[in-house]
Structure formats: C-alpha cells, structure tokens
C-alpha cells in the first residue's frame, strides 16, 4: 500500500514511539504533537527523519482543543493529498502518585478521555476529507468480563493499583463505542466525572456509528519494556508466534504481559496491510 500520512498523539515514548518508528521506516510521514519538543533532542533516528522531511515535530497539548485542531491542519499539510490517513492515539497517564487507598492517581483523572474527545471533535469533517483510520490503546481487564478473565495474580493489581487510570481508559473506550455504535454495558463504567456532562452532544463529535470500521482499539496485557519478540522470532524458522491476539467479541484473552515493542509491531503490521482483518475491532494482545 502507499505510504500513509500519520498524526500521532502520545508517541514521544513507549508504544506510540515504537509504532511510529516502524511507520517511518515503511515510508510514512508522521507528525508528532508534543508538549515538550526537547523530548527528541538526543534521538538520532527521529532527527534523521526530520531532516528528510518525513517526521514533523509540533508543539502542543492534547488537553487544549485549539492545539489539537492545529495539529490536524498541520499534519494534513504534509500529505500529498492534503489529508491525514491515520491517527495514532497512544496518550497515556503522566507521572502520578500512589495513594494507599486509591492506588495510582493521575491528574487530570480523565486525561486520556479528554484528549480523545478533543481529537474527535476537531477532526476534519467528512465533507472535506474521508475520516482517517484511528488506532487507540486501551488495556485488558477493564470491563467486568475482561477482569474476570485476568490471571488470578493480576486481579488485585488491576482492582486497586490501576483502577483510576483504567477508569480513564474506560472513558475513552466508551467514547469510541459511541462513534462506532458498538454495544456498551453501562455497568462497565466509567466512573462519574470521567466523561464530561453532555459529551455526546459536543460540537464536532462524529455522529453515532459514523466511525464504524475506522477504529482499532488495542487492549494489551500488562506492559513491559522487554525486547520485541516479533523481530527476534522472525530470524528463526518455525518459531512460535511472538504474541497472541483475539477479538473481544470472540471472548477475552488471558495473559500476564506483553512488551510495548511487540504492541508497536502489531499496530504497524495492521495499518500497513492487515486493516481488513483487524480494523473496526477491539483486539486483546498478550504473550
């Protein structure tokens, strides 16, 4: 397929970064919205692509709607057809604190949800250009059925330490379920205060069901900084698959961990040639 024009939020590190590098290596153009442009000062790979005018670094904050609107416009200007083909949304919690009663505390409590709402509400209307493909990162163990499928040793961790960040992820997933017209059980959340009052009627939010087929939600197991097993196994003949993937509509997957590099590998594989197989779905991934 032809190289894509990509806008990324949250790709200064971790999954978004690893996926973005693979997309750049494949010939794509990538615009990074960054709160701090200095994050790549020592990154020779990014600098090489900036010099080649394939990577573009734009200062802005996903919590500021005007910054996100500008990012869409800037990213579109870097594509030969004046549009964005892919949004890679991997915003994650900033450094927070640990509360003995509540577990991990992030500020704001709805960081991911609010950033995603800003992205969707400022996305160019389909009258100007087709909706792009969207990849967003969530987590296993969020919903009641997903939590029941967790390995036993992970349930306390997810039920206490990660509960508040996961409520934020649930807010983002609830938003995606609306614009894709996916079923959502209200008992799964999110908690009060994560989604703003009246969010379904926010100006610019795509109509219910309008993004069906355009969004891939990736739900990784507990993330690690381990090596990319997909790259390692590619050098071997007859090696076992580096990770398992499963559509949540076919049942939850039970697994302990997966490396951020392998999740980045999976995302790049999907958007570069396997969208028909995985696009429009919520996919679990674990070793």
């Amino acid at each position: 397929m032809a190289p894509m024009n990509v806008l990324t939020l949250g790709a200064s590190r971790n999954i978004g970064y690893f996926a973005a590098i693979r997309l750049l290596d494949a010939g794509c153009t990538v615009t990074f919205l960054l709160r701090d442009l200095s994050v790549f000062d020592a990154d020779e790979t990014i600098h090489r692509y900036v010099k080649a005018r394939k990577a573009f670094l734009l200062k802005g904050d996903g919590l500021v709607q005007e910054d996100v609107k500008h990012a869409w416009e800037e990213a579109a200007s870097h594509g030969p057809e004046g549009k964005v083909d892919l949004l890679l949304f991997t915003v994650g919690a900033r450094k927070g604190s640990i509360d003995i009663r509540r577990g991990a505390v992030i500020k704001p409590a709805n960081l991911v949800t609010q950033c995603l709402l800003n992205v969707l509400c400022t996305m160019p209307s389909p009258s100007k250009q087709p909706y792009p493909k969207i990849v967003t990162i969530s987590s296993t163990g969020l919903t009641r059925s997903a939590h029941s499928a967790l390995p036993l040793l992970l349930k306390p961790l997810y039920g206490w330490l990660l509960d508040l960040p996961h409520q934020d992820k649930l807010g983002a997933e609830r938003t995606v379920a609306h614009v894709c017209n996916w079923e959502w059980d209200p008992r799964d959340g999110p908690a009060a205060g994560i989604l703003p009052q009246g969010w379904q009627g926010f100006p610019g939010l795509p109509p219910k069901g309008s993004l069906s087929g355009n969004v891939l939600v990736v739900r990784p197991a507990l993330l690690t900084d381990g090596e990319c097993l997909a790259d390692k196994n590619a050098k071997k003949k007859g090696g076992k698959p580096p990770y398992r993937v499963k559509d949540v509509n076919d049942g939850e997957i039970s697994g302990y961990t997966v490396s951020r590099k392998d999740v980045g590998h999976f995302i790049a594989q999907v958007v570069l040639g396997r969208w028909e197989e995985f696009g429009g779905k919520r996919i679990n991934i674990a070793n």
Side-chain angles (χ1 to χ4, degrees):
M1 64 178 296
M4 308 176 77
N5 186 30
V6 183
L7 170 63
T8 70
L9 279 79
S12 63
R13 57 193 177 95
N14 296 333
I15 293 171
Y17 176 82
F18 298 129
I21 293 299
R22 289 182 180 274
L23 295 175
L24 286 165
D25 289 344
C28 297
T29 299
V30 180
T31 299
F32 295 81
L33 182 65
L34 303 165
R35 287 184 295 112
D36 182 5
L37 295 180
S38 67
V39 69
F40 289 144
D41 279 356
D43 193 314
E44 295 181 3
T45 301
I46 292 293
H47 281 293
R48 184 172 74 251
Y49 282 116
V50 168
K51 186 176 181 180
R53 295 192 60 77
K54 298 299 289 183
F56 297 87
L57 311 184
L58 179 65
K59 184 174 178 57
D61 191 332
L63 288 171
V64 179
Q65 195 170 95
E66 281 302 311
D67 287 359
V68 181
K69 182 176 184 293
H70 178 56
W72 279 113
E73 296 166 349
E74 184 70 16
S77 73
H78 299 146
E81 298 179 10
K83 65 182 181 69
V84 174
D85 302 306
L86 171 70
L87 168 70
L88 178 58
F89 183 87
T90 59
V91 173
R94 299 168 182 170
K95 289 183 179 179
S97 58
I98 303 296
D99 183 280
I100 192 64
R101 294 178 296 106
R102 298 185 294 164
V105 178
I106 60 172
K107 295 182 179 181
N110 66 341
L111 169 69
V112 177
T113 301
Q114 187 59 59
C115 287
L116 182 60
L117 280 168
N118 286 344
V119 165
L120 295 176
C121 290
T122 58
M123 190 164 54
S125 71
S127 63
K128 296 181 179 180
Q129 61 184 56
Y131 284 133
K133 295 179 174 66
I134 299 173
V135 176
T136 181
I137 301 298
S138 188
S139 175
T140 57
L142 298 189
T143 63
R144 292 173 304 116
S145 61
H147 191 272
S148 66
L150 286 171
L152 185 61
L153 294 178
L154 289 184
K155 288 184 178 182
L157 176 69
Y158 279 59
W160 168 69
L161 182 63
L162 299 178
D163 179 57
L164 294 180
H166 282 178
Q167 289 299 324
D168 189 14
K169 293 287 189 182
L170 280 167
E173 282 218 29
R174 177 67 186 93
T175 304
V176 170
H178 174 76
V179 296
C180 291
N181 198 26
W182 293 341
E183 289 187 8
W184 187 265
D185 189 332
R187 293 175 296 175
D188 285 330
I194 296 296
L195 278 163
Q197 193 74 22
W199 65 274
Q200 293 175 330
F202 277 10
L205 186 70
K208 184 177 183 179
S210 59
L211 294 184
S212 178
N214 286 68
V215 183
L216 165 64
V217 176
V218 181
R219 292 178 171 179
L222 194 64
L223 292 165
T224 75
D225 290 324
E227 63 185 331
C228 181
L229 296 180
D231 287 342
K232 182 179 180 180
N233 290 6
K235 301 174 183 178
K236 301 179 180 179
K237 292 184 178 180
K240 69 175 184 178
Y243 46 74
R244 297 171 292 143
V245 295
K246 189 174 184 179
D247 184 345
V248 300
N249 290 327
D250 297 328
E252 301 291 342
I253 197 171
S254 180
Y256 278 94
T257 63
V258 66
S259 78
R260 294 177 173 87
K261 291 179 180 179
D262 273 323
V263 179
H265 174 273
F266 172 68
I267 291 171
Q269 290 287 307
V270 171
V271 301
L272 292 173
R274 302 179 69 183
W275 191 264
E276 293 301 317
E277 182 180 356
F278 292 104
K281 298 178 180 179
R282 289 166 286 193
I283 300 295
N284 288 324
I285 177 170
N287 291 135

